[in-house]
Amino acid sequence: MRNGPQTGHIYGIGVGPGDPELMTLKAARLLAAAPVVAYFHKRGARGVARSIVQGLFDPDAVELALEYPLTTEVPFEDAAYKDAIAPFYDEAAARIAEHANARRDVAVVCEGDPFFYGSFMHLYRRLRDRFPIEVVPGITGMSACWTSAGVPITYGDDVLQVLPGTLPEGALAQRMRDADAVVVMKLGRNLGKVRRALTEAGLIERAIYVERGSMKGQIVQPLAERGDETAPYFAIVLVPGRGRCL
């Protein structure tokens, strides 16, 4: 009879928005003990999560780099995107499963929080019925951005809408009008559309653009002053609430 666990554990570890000091103690502890460290990255880049944890895990640990076949080259709504990305997640899950089946624990590091617009969710769905998985929450990018901007995002009974910039312009404007405070993520090539939706909703003067919140090279400015039509991946637009401020 085999003694001990039959498989390794898989940990989805939120490592926060960029500043390594914004990781939780639990995340740091599990990461330091992991024999395998997995991370997502795009071609030609190291990946933000991997950069955050530099020097924080065992130098003898196996590094499992999961390279996206594409990122922003193809629009999310294009069928070609799903045709390329779904097999990638299948392969990534299989590579992680290989280590777990060999009784090696795997720490999958994720910028922000693993369950908030994170790639780890696609691994979780594929692996949760086969292996013990623990998810460690992390500080989200939006939380770091409103803190970096120095703007409390909600007061009293304010309702916060978190919107992906990939939504149609009309849908964005409607949801913005229905909210007291707004966070818009997934800007990229959608920045111009988001600006138009905010203008239509009457919120452009309150909108704040934050790029690389809590990271080196952070930018914070009124969105109305930024004329670009596109934004980098780590950029967010904030519209702070103005409710019961006592």
Side-chain angles (χ1 to χ4, degrees), residues 10-78:
I10 298 170
Y11 299 97
I13 299 180
V15 297
D19 182 346
E21 292 187 331
L22 294 179
M23 286 177 57
T24 64
L25 294 174
K26 185 171 186 176
R29 173 176 61 80
L30 292 173
L31 177 62
V36 181
V37 177
Y39 55 93
F40 291 97
H41 71 105
K42 68 178 182 179
R43 188 176 297 114
R46 191 181 203 181
V48 172
R50 175 60 182 81
S51 297
I52 292 171
V53 301
Q54 174 64 27
L56 300 179
F57 60 89
D58 189 336
D60 294 326
V62 174
E63 291 195 41
L64 192 62
L66 308 172
E67 182 181 291
Y68 293 113
L70 48 79
T71 48
T72 59
E73 301 89 338
V74 178
F76 175 77
E77 61 273 14
D78 193 316

Side-chain angles (χ1 to χ4, degrees), residues 2-245:
R2 296 172 67 183
N3 296 320
Q6 299 302 301
T7 69
H9 282 65
I10 298 170
Y11 299 97
I13 299 180
V15 297
D19 182 346
E21 292 187 331
L22 294 179
M23 286 177 57
T24 64
L25 294 174
K26 185 171 186 176
R29 173 176 61 80
L30 292 173
L31 177 62
V36 181
V37 177
Y39 55 93
F40 291 97
H41 71 105
K42 68 178 182 179
R43 188 176 297 114
R46 191 181 203 181
V48 172
R50 175 60 182 81
S51 297
I52 292 171
V53 301
Q54 174 64 27
L56 300 179
F57 60 89
D58 189 336
D60 294 326
V62 174
E63 291 195 41
L64 192 62
L66 308 172
E67 182 181 291
Y68 293 113
L70 48 79
T71 48
T72 59
E73 301 89 338
V74 178
F76 175 77
E77 61 273 14
D78 193 316
Y81 181 88
K82 184 176 181 180
D83 290 344
I85 207 71
F88 161 71
Y89 285 125
D90 290 340
E91 179 186 357
R95 293 176 65 191
I96 290 170
E98 183 178 353
H99 286 283
N101 279 323
R103 299 188 183 185
R104 290 188 288 270
D105 292 344
V106 182
V108 185
V109 295
C110 318
E111 65 266 15
D113 183 279
F115 275 2
F116 188 71
Y117 291 112
S119 294
F120 178 76
M121 292 184 288
H122 302 291
L123 300 180
Y124 179 78
R125 185 173 63 83
R126 288 165 169 79
L127 297 169
R128 63 185 175 185
D129 295 328
R130 299 164 53 196
F131 302 99
I133 299 182
E134 181 175 355
V135 179
V136 181
I139 294 174
T140 63
M142 65 178 184
S143 177
C145 285
W146 63 57
T147 302
S148 297
V151 290
I153 196 69
T154 50
Y155 290 92
D157 300 324
D158 279 341
V159 175
L160 171 66
Q161 287 263 24
V162 180
L163 305 174
T166 49
L167 289 176
E169 185 173 326
L172 282 169
Q174 181 60 54
R175 291 175 182 268
M176 290 169 178
R177 281 192 293 265
D178 292 340
D180 302 305
V182 177
V183 171
V184 188
M185 305 181 64
K186 299 187 179 182
L187 295 178
R189 67 186 73 189
N190 301 297
L191 182 59
K193 176 177 64 175
V194 169
R195 183 187 294 105
R196 292 191 300 271
L198 285 162
T199 300
E200 183 181 342
L203 298 174
I204 189 65
E205 296 305 320
R206 287 165 52 195
I208 301 168
Y209 174 87
V210 184
E211 182 178 310
R212 300 184 65 81
S214 86
M215 303 184 212
K216 185 178 179 180
Q218 170 183 291
I219 296 172
V220 178
Q221 65 182 136
L223 179 61
E225 296 179 3
R226 190 173 186 89
D228 308 60
E229 290 297 303
T230 62
Y233 181 77
F234 288 95
I236 283 178
V237 168
L238 309 171
V239 179
R242 299 188 298 188
R244 290 190 291 113
C245 182

